[in-house]
Amino acid sequence: MSGVRAQQKQKTRQALIEAAFNQLSAEHSFSNLSLREVAREAGIAPTSFYRHFKDMNELGLTMVDEAGLTLRQLMRQARRRIASGGSVIITSVETFMEFIDTSSNQFRLLLRERSGTSKAFRAAVAREIKHFILELAHYLESETPCDKNHAYMQAEAMVTLVFNAGAEALDQDAQQRAELTERLIWQLRYIARGANHYGAQS
């Protein structure tokens, strides 16, 4: 019986996270969300919220973790596709743009809280971006001539470019986004070419 209760509790907790994400938009940031709105969208009483989260801040930090994890899992899948013969940069950029398209509210949260007023939120987003950079750096170190230091710097430059492009992509139409994607692919190629050149010389 306790197993069923634990499953139900996890299901309700996830419903609260999804309800909060669903209420985010270009005009509606996390700081605008109310506990009552989130609970109502999740189909529970506001008082039941506290069985799952201490307060809205804890919910928000959990959402940051989930958004970061979703993006990292997508990029891992992209690397598996690359292993079967795809272009590293093209596949990665296309996967990232799919994330922007299908999970725009998750990306909005990362983007806004990266420079938001809450120190805890900024630290949480910085931690997720660091995870992202480290995973890419590890991949680059194993697949290119770059040593650990150059692989990290390359990964950091690439992630910065990609996140900035993602911010632009959120409000673009299909044509603008296609042009942005093409520019981003070339910019990442420039970084990769330079990193490989220096890596081969070291």
Side-chain angles (χ1 to χ4, degrees):
M1 190 67 177
S2 61
V4 174
R5 272 201 300 272
Q7 279 184 344
Q8 186 56 47
K9 185 173 183 181
Q10 183 56 36
K11 192 176 173 184
T12 304
R13 179 183 167 87
Q14 195 58 40
L16 284 164
I17 293 169
E18 287 172 14
F21 272 127
N22 288 342
Q23 291 185 18
L24 298 179
S25 67
E27 296 76 30
H28 212 56
S29 66
F30 180 79
S31 60
N32 299 132
L33 299 188
S34 77
L35 188 153
R36 284 184 175 280
E37 285 175 339
V38 172
R40 185 169 62 243
E41 170 103 6
I44 66 167
T47 49
S48 299
F49 176 93
Y50 297 102
R51 292 182 199 156
H52 306 279
F53 298 99
K54 185 177 67 179
D55 52 27
M56 285 294 286
N57 273 351
E58 188 181 19
L59 169 61
L61 291 170
T62 303
M63 290 166 69
V64 168
D65 290 345
E66 184 145 317
L69 180 60
T70 300
L71 179 53
R72 291 203 309 280
Q73 286 173 337
L74 277 173
M75 298 316 289
R76 284 174 201 151
Q77 289 169 15
R79 285 195 281 274
R80 283 196 288 274
R81 292 211 299 275
I82 291 159
S84 62
S87 156
V88 175
I89 288 176
I90 292 174
T91 304
S92 299
V93 169
E94 286 177 349
T95 301
F96 181 76
M97 288 301 178
E98 284 167 22
F99 173 73
I100 299 292
D101 210 33
T102 59
S103 307
S104 58
N105 286 347
Q106 293 195 1
F107 187 67
R108 281 183 205 283
L109 181 73
L110 291 175
L111 207 57
R112 282 179 177 145
E113 301 307 331
R114 185 184 187 185
S115 56
T117 54
S118 164
K119 185 178 179 181
F121 276 78
R122 289 198 306 273
V125 175
R127 195 165 54 244
E128 290 305 317
I129 292 173
K130 185 75 175 282
H131 287 322
F132 197 57
I133 292 169
L134 285 170
E135 283 196 17
L136 178 56
H138 179 72
Y139 174 80
L140 291 170
E141 189 184 356
S142 64
E143 299 293 327
T144 71
C146 290
D147 61 22
K148 187 174 184 177
N149 192 37
H150 281 104
Y152 185 87
M153 287 190 287
Q154 181 184 349
E156 192 174 34
M158 286 179 153
V159 169
T160 300
L161 259 182
V162 165
F163 264 72
N164 288 344
E168 279 188 64
L170 278 171
D171 299 314
Q172 290 183 331
D173 60 31
Q175 177 62 34
Q176 290 171 320
R177 192 176 289 188
E179 291 168 3
L180 173 66
T181 299
E182 184 65 19
R183 284 201 311 277
L184 178 60
I185 287 168
W186 277 106
Q187 288 164 348
L188 293 172
R189 282 173 176 160
Y190 298 148
I191 292 172
R193 183 67 63 88
N196 287 342
H197 172 72
Y198 283 110
Q201 287 185 334
S202 61

